[in-house]
Amino acid sequence: LINSANMVICCLDPDLTIASVNPAAILLTGYHQQEIQGHNWLELFVDEAQRDPIRARIAAQEKIEDEELLMRDQDGCELTLQWTFAPFYEGEALKYLIGFGYDITRLKLIEREITEFNEQLEGKVQERTRSLSDANEQLGQAYDDLKQAQQTLVESEKMASLGSLVAGVAHEINTPIGISVTASSYLQERVTAFKQHL
């Protein structure tokens, strides 16, 4: 079962020296059995930046389950393994730590791609929201301009109606006054002619 498992299974001494590994570790890392066995687990399977915290947790005999740790294979490619450790005691003394490492590199890559896609999607949503907000603002401005033009048109129509009314009233008043002026001029001429006759 150990040899056919597709996860890395390491048997570690208390000082984290690798006592044995299954073939999955050799396939994953690209190292030979001799390059892995007898070496420190931290140096082969844990990125340098994560070594001190995990070493301290193991030394404190903390329960470690589903711990995501980065590593680099023989070609320098970054891999992510999810580690769970099971202690194996002989009496009260810790004899071995059995480490189970699941390769989740592809899952983390997909997770990163989903995160990037979500960020891009969020950016597009924000951009569309901004565009929609700008369009709404322009629409509001156009509506205000339309109301202003409508008000101006109503005022212009009122002024035009008032102009027509004034012209009509002036015409109605001018005609009788003009007739009165003509009549008075005619009467004045007649009075002058009558005076001359007298």
Side-chain angles (χ1 to χ4, degrees):
L1 285 172
I2 290 170
N3 287 339
S4 62
N6 62 356
M7 69 178 123
V8 175
I9 301 175
C10 295
C11 186
L12 309 176
D13 290 327
D15 64 353
L16 303 182
T17 300
I18 300 171
S20 64
V21 291
N22 67 339
I26 296 161
L27 290 171
L28 181 73
T29 61
Y31 294 111
H32 295 293
Q33 184 91 18
Q34 296 81 10
E35 293 175 296
I36 296 176
Q37 247 174 305
H39 288 81
N40 190 286
W41 172 80
L42 288 167
E43 291 174 9
L44 289 176
F45 288 98
V46 183
D47 188 61
E48 194 173 343
Q50 294 178 305
R51 286 178 193 165
D52 290 338
I54 198 70
R55 182 185 287 122
R57 289 181 63 195
I58 291 172
Q61 295 187 359
E62 282 186 29
K63 186 176 182 181
I64 298 173
E65 285 185 354
D66 301 330
E67 185 74 24
E68 292 180 11
L69 297 171
L70 298 175
M71 67 165 288
R72 294 201 175 273
D73 64 10
Q74 193 178 29
D75 297 329
C77 297
E78 187 178 84
L79 303 172
T80 305
L81 270 69
Q82 190 176 56
W83 287 94
T84 297
F85 289 95
F88 183 77
Y89 293 95
E90 192 174 82
E92 291 187 11
L94 178 67
K95 186 168 184 181
Y96 292 114
L97 264 179
I98 311 296
F100 302 91
Y102 298 91
D103 183 11
I104 57 169
T105 307
R106 287 183 64 195
L107 291 175
K108 296 303 284 183
L109 181 64
I110 291 167
E111 187 180 295
R112 269 198 297 270
E113 286 175 359
I114 289 171
T115 302
E116 287 172 10
F117 178 73
N118 283 341
E119 286 172 1
Q120 289 173 359
L121 193 60
E122 192 175 322
K124 285 181 181 179
V125 167
Q126 288 176 351
E127 186 180 333
R128 295 248 172 102
T129 303
R130 197 166 36 250
S131 298
L132 189 60
S133 180
D134 291 346
N136 280 343
E137 194 175 319
Q138 290 174 359
L139 190 61
Q141 184 63 44
Y143 179 70
D144 290 343
D145 291 346
L146 184 63
K147 280 181 75 174
Q148 185 66 34
Q150 188 179 15
Q151 190 66 28
T152 305
L153 191 61
V154 168
E155 292 295 326
S156 299
E157 198 173 325
K158 282 182 186 175
M159 292 303 288
S161 298
L162 186 61
S164 297
L165 181 64
V166 168
V169 170
H171 176 71
E172 293 300 327
I173 292 174
N174 273 345
T175 302
I177 289 176
I179 292 170
S180 299
V181 168
T182 304
S184 66
S185 298
Y186 175 73
L187 286 174
Q188 191 174 8
E189 286 177 10
R190 295 303 293 162
V191 167
T192 305
F194 186 66
K195 281 182 180 178
Q196 285 174 358
H197 280 259
L198 285 174

